[in-house]
Amino acid sequence: CPSGPALLFVKTSQGKEEGRRFYACSACRDRKDCNFFQWEDDKVSETRLAAREEYNRSHQPFFTHRQNAERYKNFVLLPLSKRRFCQECQQLLLPAEWEKHSDHQCLCDISTAQLKSPSRILYPLENKKTNAQYLFADRSCQFLLDLIIDLGFRRVLSVGTPRLHEIIQSKASQEEDFRVRSLLLDIDFRYSQFYAEDEFCHYNMFNHYFFGGEAARETCRKFLYQDNGERVIMVTDPPFGGLVEALASSFKKLMAMWKETEEGGHNSQEMPTFWIFPYFFESRILEFFPSFSMMDYQVDYDNHALYKHGKTGRRQSPVRIFTNLTPSTIVLPVEEGYRFCTICQRYVSSGNKHCEICNSCTSKDGRQWKHCVLCKKCVKPSWFHCNNCNCCALQNHTCEKTDAGCFVCGKAGHKRSTCPSLSHA
Ligand code: SAH
Ligand code: ZN
Ligand code: ZN
Ligand code: ZN
Ligand code: ZN
């Protein structure tokens, strides 16, 4: 389909596989956005294949990345008064094109500073669940960059992190002694208007597809290969509706690409990675990356719905950093209340008390959790042990079980759409 190779799905009901397997779009969960559908055992006729190829061709962006890069060069030569951005078409306009957009809302006098912060010009995509864009709040973006620098990294593979990419590229162009560089991989092609071909690759992280073909893949490979692949980190912040197994499979391929850099050089090492994702996906992520651990740092966004209001009045974000770096090296800001637990050898939230029985700082959401002797583990403060269900749950839960685990948290009794982890959205 236009998003590259489709994914193979299977319908499940009550935890059992049902019926035939089928291929559907990797990037769009909504049939309205992409209606690609094919049974696994379908024989596809030549005519249908040809029609499909024609359809995919006609759904390519109007300008190629190369053309956009060329347009950008011309755009920056224009005086301020001639620099316009069409908000309806989400496009930088050259003077000859003004006419066509005359009844569209435009931003005028686009400054160089604005061009260096495209995430502030482009509106965040939010209509489609799986393609929602949640941009880092400055506090979190700066924290990530400082952390990356303190850890000694020089190159960042920014997978779906346009705002991190842009502060890195912007600093690199302004401060002579700033040594960090970034390559952005993102499905949002609007960014190709602002970045050269060695700064941005149009990429789908659900199927590891480079829209720009072998040349784009080579750009990524080259970026990872510099300095024998040393001092490079992958930072990714995928849409939360995304399928963990599809994402993990793509990240493993990017890691493998990095591993090829030097003949056996990194031996058993894994490419350093920050995967930014909600805490309730912890078990799913660890399933695919046992070397990862979850940090307590709460990643904040400018435009996120997934917030609760904490006691302090500050919004409590459920989003965390998962990493394969040694937890004790991830220093969290003490001024924001994080402290170092010498037993766990990692920084934890102020409310996260070390449990003597679990011998671990067990809170996942920053609130103090309580130990249940019957469950033999710590649970959320709002939970009570239910003798019916033989586990802890909310006081007003209904004592019933279905076999099928929820897609989001893996627990029984509800589906993804009614997952309590997502209920504060
Ligand atoms: N917090 C980040 C943005 C995260 S939002 C920041 O501020 O930089 C998720 C990002 O992933 C968006 O940039 C979105 O365009 C991108 N994205 C969504 N689906 C994608 C896909 N299938 N492949 C690659 N990138 C995708
Ligand atoms: Zn327009
Ligand atoms: Zn501890
Ligand atoms: Zn405990
Ligand atoms: Zn219990």
Side-chain angles (χ1 to χ4, degrees), residues 60-73:
Q60 292 311 306
F62 186 71
F63 291 117
T64 63
H65 191 176
R66 178 144 314 153
Q67 286 170 322
N68 272 337
E70 205 52 48
R71 292 168 57 83
Y72 183 83
K73 281 190 200 148

Side-chain angles (χ1 to χ4, degrees), residues 86 88-89 101 104:
C86 175
E88 271 180 68
C89 307
H101 301 260
H104 293 172

Side-chain angles (χ1 to χ4, degrees), residues 390-402:
N390 203 19
C391 68
C392 282
L394 279 173
Q395 190 94 77
N396 60 357
H397 72 288
T398 29
C399 295
E400 58 177 11
K401 279 188 182 165
T402 58

Side-chain angles (χ1 to χ4, degrees), residues 341 343-344 354 360-361:
C341 174
I343 306 168
C344 296
H354 190 88
S360 155
C361 289

Side-chain angles (χ1 to χ4, degrees), residues 102-259:
S102 54
D103 38 351
H104 293 172
Q105 189 100 329
C106 282
L107 285 176
C108 298
D109 302 342
I110 304 291
S111 67
T112 307
Q114 281 175 298
L115 287 174
K116 288 190 196 304
S117 299
S119 77
R120 289 168 205 274
I121 301 183
L122 302 167
Y123 63 73
L125 302 173
E126 46 190 331
N127 43 338
K128 308 162 198 161
K129 259 194 201 151
T130 49
N131 197 7
Q133 289 179 318
Y134 296 115
L135 298 163
F136 293 132
D138 291 334
R139 187 186 73 88
S140 287
C141 205
Q142 195 57 54
F143 164 75
L144 282 170
L145 180 57
D146 291 345
L147 183 59
I148 288 165
I149 293 171
D150 290 344
L151 290 166
F153 292 106
R154 286 290 172 82
R155 271 165 301 129
V156 181
L157 185 65
S158 296
V159 185
T161 54
R163 192 156 267 184
L164 179 63
H165 174 73
E166 85 189 16
I167 65 163
I168 295 174
Q169 293 305 79
S170 161
K171 276 187 195 283
S173 71
Q174 281 159 353
E175 301 169 21
E176 226 176 279
D177 52 354
F178 187 84
R179 298 259 172 270
V180 186
R181 295 294 178 274
S182 170
L183 173 67
L184 176 64
L185 306 187
D186 202 288
I187 204 163
D188 186 351
F189 192 66
R190 295 175 306 171
Y191 281 99
S192 70
Q193 300 179 81
F194 301 88
Y195 297 119
E197 285 171 285
D198 59 355
E199 294 175 303
F200 169 75
C201 297
H202 190 201
Y203 174 79
N204 182 349
M205 62 168 117
F206 292 126
N207 57 5
H208 187 60
Y209 182 66
F210 286 87
F211 293 83
E214 197 43 49
R217 186 184 289 270
E218 195 50 39
T219 299
C220 180
R221 199 177 280 137
K222 269 214 190 104
F223 182 79
L224 297 175
Y225 278 24
Q226 283 168 44
D227 300 330
N228 289 324
E230 272 162 43
R231 305 217 249 175
V232 54
I233 182 169
M234 168 160 70
V235 180
T236 183
D237 187 12
F240 307 147
L243 296 166
V244 174
E245 46 272 78
L247 292 168
S249 151
S250 295
F251 300 154
K252 282 184 199 264
K253 285 175 183 155
L254 288 169
M255 287 169 160
M257 204 185 241
W258 170 80
K259 230 180 162 115

